[in-house]
Amino acid sequence: MLIYKSTVSGFLSDFQGSDIGDVVRNAYESKTQRHAPEAEIRAWSASLYHMAITVNNGSIPDDAGVAIEYSIPQSAKRIDFIFSGYDQSHNPVLVIVELKQWSSSEKTNKPGVIIARRGPGSGREGPHPSYQAWSYAALLNGFNEEVYSRKMGLFPCAYLHNHPVNTAIDSPFYMDDIKRAPLFLKGEHERRRLSQFISQHVRHGDAAKVIEQVDGGRMRPSKALADSITGMLKGKQEFVLIDDQKVVFESVCATASRATDTNKKVVIVEGGPGTGKSVVAVNILAALTKMGLLTKYVSKNAAPRAVYKAKLTGNMRYTEISNLFCGSGAFVDTEPNAFNVLVVDEAHRLNEKSGLYGNLGENQVKELIRSAHCTVFFLDEDQAVTLSDIGTKEEIRRWAESMGATVESCGLSSQFRCNGADGYLAWLDNTLGIRKTAHEFLGAGTYDFRVLDSPTELHELIYERDAKDNGARVVAGYCWNWSSKKDPSAVDIVLEGGAYRRRWNRTEDGSLWMIARTAVEEIGCIHTCQGLEADYIGVIIGPDLVVRDGKVSTDYKARALVDRRKSLSGIEKIYRQNPEQALKAADRIIKNTYRTLMTRGMKGCYVYSEDPETRAYFASRAAVV
């Protein structure tokens, strides 16, 4: 999506005619149907004032294209300013400008990471503006078919009109980033340098045609982590780390390299669905292994590990694969500090006890911290989906402090699933009644969310999506018994008066269900899809979640008995002792389960409930208003 599009002459005309911040605000509110925050309007006014002065010197073609606030496909990121046109040979080019109002900054010891200061007071770590501009160009090239197929020239740079030269930001430490995306700072000389940089690449105008082609460009297929893991572990840059992903990656690597048996470290990394927790975790695994640190990737859920191992088979020796991945219950008898680093993904799923019967060890969090110099926990407490999940920040801090480990915390917020639709996640939390947000209605957007009136219709839609690249699956709340597990001829899920008949995922696929070729025929559950993703996900909401008079209510007794014994083990005992506590705990688990299921799709989510009022509720909340 593009907020503002014009030419250099049109941009200058808008600037001279009124406050350019107001022009962009009106365009923003028209395109998004949302009010622009006042702080953002002020930022537009200030930065665009300097951009107008920069281009008002005649060196840049009057009919060169200008774009402001371009949303990069499949991410929540926006490019501040783009110039478009043609180079000397009439090839299409884009100059990408990252605008900052920083007045000072402070160097870190982490590549590509700097401390920003926009005024008095303390700053915070973030990506160096040159790294940020370069990474946005890489994202655009990676996700936009027009940019990629037409081999458009991409020339990123950063302009900090308030920041003086010869300070931390342009120090030799950041020279690699500045070479990839030149940095322009405060002063008339710097402004002339920026103008020369733009005119050097944009030699002929295009009347914004190149920008129109980019804005209308088809999205390239998304990379799935499972398909890219082999390259990542061999040192290839399969994913460009963006903004907070870069900061977390460099911070964890720096912390891990300093940790020892007498200087134990624990890092807690929080992030919601699609923020790149697993991508960053695997990048850390690869980087630390390359540094010679003995590192393992750990997860409670077997499904991600099984998928990663399957993708690596044939590219790495079995012993190498086994040494990289393991379950969270494997550290009961591990010697203290046996590993340099343990990278724990989906840490919210950790259990107290280990073993098949849950009778081994004392506490998985304790055992993981004890076993390594540095333990990194990636978690999202809102994806805890069983009563036995204990991986909370509080629990991790408690055990870390008891073992003398220093705790560091950081977060991931950049959204790369659900087509980068941060609003979808906020809307989903509000719609499911998990937390109140400002997103009461979903509205128009790039994420394909639909409510279907029939499970057959939903499954047919998933068939269509899956035919392209095995990238679509149907999942459901665990409200039907798994009869086909023992009797392959049995049918598990029967809906629509018997017209829709399906089985749960086959036992022979096990944890590999999400990538099995025949999996589109079947239905998966929370235990076979958590920690993984598909392009499109179909979700059948069971009778454990219904809506009455606009209120979402849950009923744990509507869960299949087999899952009540697994996800809700002990709930009956809690209910006898404290009914209110039991219902509150079960409500959280059920809502978290559907939140997790409904965020597995990178491009779309299709929902069906057998209950008409529940369907109507979701449809009304998803309506464009």
Side-chain angles (χ1 to χ4, degrees):
M1 182 173 65
L2 186 59
I3 298 301
Y4 173 94
K5 175 178 67 70
S6 188
T7 60
V8 167
S9 59
F11 169 67
L12 290 174
S13 176
D14 285 337
F15 172 73
Q16 293 166 357
S18 60
D19 186 332
I20 191 66
D22 288 336
V23 173
V24 176
R25 173 177 57 184
N26 294 336
Y28 176 89
E29 293 179 350
S30 174
K31 290 286 182 70
T32 66
Q33 302 299 307
R34 294 197 298 270
H35 289 295
E38 286 300 320
E40 194 159 16
I41 297 169
R42 290 195 298 271
W44 284 331
S45 296
S47 293
L48 296 179
Y49 167 79
H50 287 274
M51 287 304 298
I53 297 175
T54 300
V55 302
N56 192 24
N57 63 6
S59 65
I60 303 167
D62 285 344
D63 59 342
V66 167
I68 297 173
E69 297 290 332
Y70 170 73
S71 295
I72 303 172
Q74 299 184 7
S75 80
K77 299 303 172 186
R78 299 196 308 235
I79 295 174
D80 293 332
F81 207 102
I82 299 175
F83 291 95
S84 71
Y86 303 104
D87 64 12
Q88 188 65 42
S89 302
H90 288 273
N91 298 309
V93 295
L94 298 171
V95 174
I96 292 168
V97 186
E98 176 65 24
L99 296 170
K100 301 287 187 191
Q101 297 194 72
W102 303 356
S103 54
S104 63
S105 57
E106 182 180 333
K107 189 173 77 69
T108 69
N109 62 352
K110 305 166 188 175
V113 177
I114 195 166
I115 296 174
R117 300 191 187 282
R118 297 166 180 81
S122 61
R124 64 182 183 88
E125 287 187 340
H128 189 283
S130 291
Y131 176 90
Q132 193 172 12
W134 168 80
S135 66
Y136 286 0
L139 264 188
L140 187 59
N141 189 57
F143 285 141
N144 192 291
E145 191 70 46
E146 282 291 310
V147 174
Y148 178 80
S149 63
R150 298 188 63 196
K151 295 182 171 57
M152 290 184 181
L154 298 177
F155 301 97
C157 66
Y159 183 30
L160 283 71
H161 47 80
N162 291 330
H163 199 298
V165 299
N166 299 322
T167 57
I169 201 158
D170 53 352
S171 70
F173 181 73
Y174 297 112
M175 201 49 59
D176 287 345
D177 298 307
I178 295 171
K179 285 179 180 177
R180 292 191 293 191
L183 180 67
F184 304 98
L185 301 171
K186 184 178 181 180
E188 182 60 32
H189 174 69
E190 292 290 293
R191 185 181 294 131
R192 285 198 302 270
R193 287 182 59 236
L194 172 59
S195 180
Q196 289 166 4
F197 176 79
I198 298 166
S199 60
Q200 171 190 347
H201 297 294
V202 181
R203 304 299 294 272
H204 305 284
D206 66 330
K209 287 187 175 63
V210 175
I211 286 172
E212 290 173 3
Q213 291 163 357
V214 172
D215 192 34
R218 189 167 63 91
M219 288 187 297
R220 295 185 70 205
S222 306
K223 281 185 179 180
L225 174 58
D227 294 328
S228 305
I229 194 165
T230 301
M232 293 170 69
L233 293 176
K234 290 184 175 181
K236 290 178 61 179
Q237 189 174 46
E238 297 281 358
F239 292 88
V240 175
L241 298 178
I242 303 297
D243 295 357
D244 46 20
Q245 295 178 340
K246 172 70 170 175
V247 175
V248 169
F249 170 80
E250 295 293 352
S251 298
V252 170
C253 288
T255 297
S257 65
R258 296 194 306 268
T260 65
D261 55 353
T262 58
N263 184 31
K264 288 178 75 69
K265 301 286 186 180
V266 166
V267 184
I268 300 172
V269 183
E270 290 187 89
T275 51
K277 294 190 298 298
S278 295
V279 167
V280 176
V282 175
N283 269 286
I284 290 170
L285 172 69
L288 296 180
T289 300
K290 188 177 181 180
M291 289 166 58
L293 298 178
L294 184 57
T295 308
K296 270 188 180 288
Y297 172 100
V298 181
S299 71
K300 161 65 170 60
N301 193 351
R305 297 197 317 271
V307 169
Y308 299 160
K309 287 180 180 180
K311 295 290 184 178
L312 289 168
T313 299
N315 293 285
M316 296 175 66
R317 292 193 298 271
Y318 177 78
T319 51
E320 290 179 305
I321 299 172
S322 298
N323 287 336
L324 287 173
F325 302 92
C326 68
S328 57
F331 301 89
V332 171
D333 298 317
T334 301
E335 291 293 319
N337 302 307
F339 298 90
N340 294 114
V341 187
L342 293 176
V343 180
V344 187
D345 204 0
E346 305 282 324
H348 44 268
R349 295 299 318 278
L350 294 173
N351 293 163
E352 185 176 32
K353 300 290 185 179
S354 299
L356 182 61
Y357 302 105
N359 61 347
L360 300 178
E362 181 183 354
N363 184 289
Q364 288 185 352
V365 174
K366 174 188 177 182
E367 290 151 10
L368 286 161
I369 296 173
R370 181 193 65 203
S371 298
H373 295 157
C374 177
T375 312
V376 187
F377 296 93
F378 287 83
L379 61 86
D380 175 7
E381 292 183 3
D382 288 331
Q383 289 191 62
V385 294
T386 79
L387 289 180
S388 59
D389 294 346
I390 64 160
T392 64
K393 292 176 292 183
E394 181 182 358
E395 183 78 359
I396 293 167
R397 286 185 178 278
R398 182 170 70 88
W399 284 113
E401 291 168 3
S402 74
M403 285 182 272
T406 303
V407 179
E408 299 177 10
S409 297
C410 46
L412 293 168
S413 59
S414 303
Q415 175 54 232
F416 289 88
R417 195 180 289 156
C418 308
N419 268 357
D422 284 327
Y424 173 71
L425 298 178
W427 170 83
L428 188 58
D429 283 348
N430 191 76
T431 301
L432 288 172
I434 292 174
R435 64 175 58 82
K436 190 74 174 173
T437 73
H439 291 71
E440 185 175 355
F441 298 98
L442 181 57
T446 57
Y447 192 61
D448 188 5
F449 180 86
R450 307 185 202 180
V451 179
L452 285 303
D453 291 326
S454 148
T456 302
E457 185 182 355
L458 180 146
H459 221 124
E460 287 297 329
L461 194 51
I462 291 296
Y463 276 135
E464 290 178 21
R465 298 290 186 253
D466 185 70
K468 294 180 180 179
D469 52 12
N470 193 35
R473 295 290 179 267
V474 178
V475 294
Y478 211 151
C479 298
W480 296 267
N481 286 317
W482 193 6
S483 303
S484 63
K485 182 177 183 179
K486 295 182 178 179
D487 179 8
S489 65
V491 176
D492 303 309
I493 301 173
V494 179
L495 300 170
E496 243 181 350
Y500 181 84
R501 303 166 64 82
R502 295 284 168 170
R503 296 185 178 90
W504 287 115
N505 47 272
R506 298 185 301 174
T507 54
E508 50 262 48
D509 290 330
S511 297
L512 296 174
W513 177 77
M514 281 287 279
I515 61 172
R517 295 300 308 182
T518 58
V520 70
E521 304 281 348
E522 302 151 356
I523 296 179
C525 68
I526 188 64
H527 307 300
T528 50
C529 74
Q530 190 171 24
L532 297 168
E533 59 197 10
D535 284 341
Y536 295 90
I537 201 78
V539 181
I540 297 176
I541 298 175
D544 58 341
L545 185 144
V546 297
V547 178
R548 294 292 177 264
D549 299 322
K551 178 177 173 55
V552 179
S553 61
T554 59
D555 178 7
Y556 76 85
K557 294 182 180 179
R559 281 279 182 101
L561 182 60
V562 64
D563 196 53
R564 282 160 60 187
R565 290 171 176 166
K566 183 175 183 178
S567 299
L568 296 168
S569 177
I571 191 69
E572 299 292 356
K573 180 180 178 180
I574 299 173
Y575 186 83
R576 288 194 296 270
Q577 297 171 346
N578 188 330
E580 184 178 351
Q581 179 187 348
L583 293 176
K584 184 177 180 180
D587 183 76
R588 173 174 173 265
I589 294 301
I590 292 169
K591 288 178 177 177
N592 281 358
T593 297
Y594 284 109
R595 178 182 189 263
T596 303
L597 293 178
M598 293 170 71
T599 54
R600 295 307 90 191
M602 291 192 287
K603 297 179 181 178
C605 174
Y606 309 136
V607 171
Y608 169 78
S609 169
E610 201 169 26
D611 179 69
E613 189 172 344
T614 303
R615 286 201 307 275
Y617 169 79
F618 278 96
S620 67
R621 292 299 185 98
V624 177
V625 294

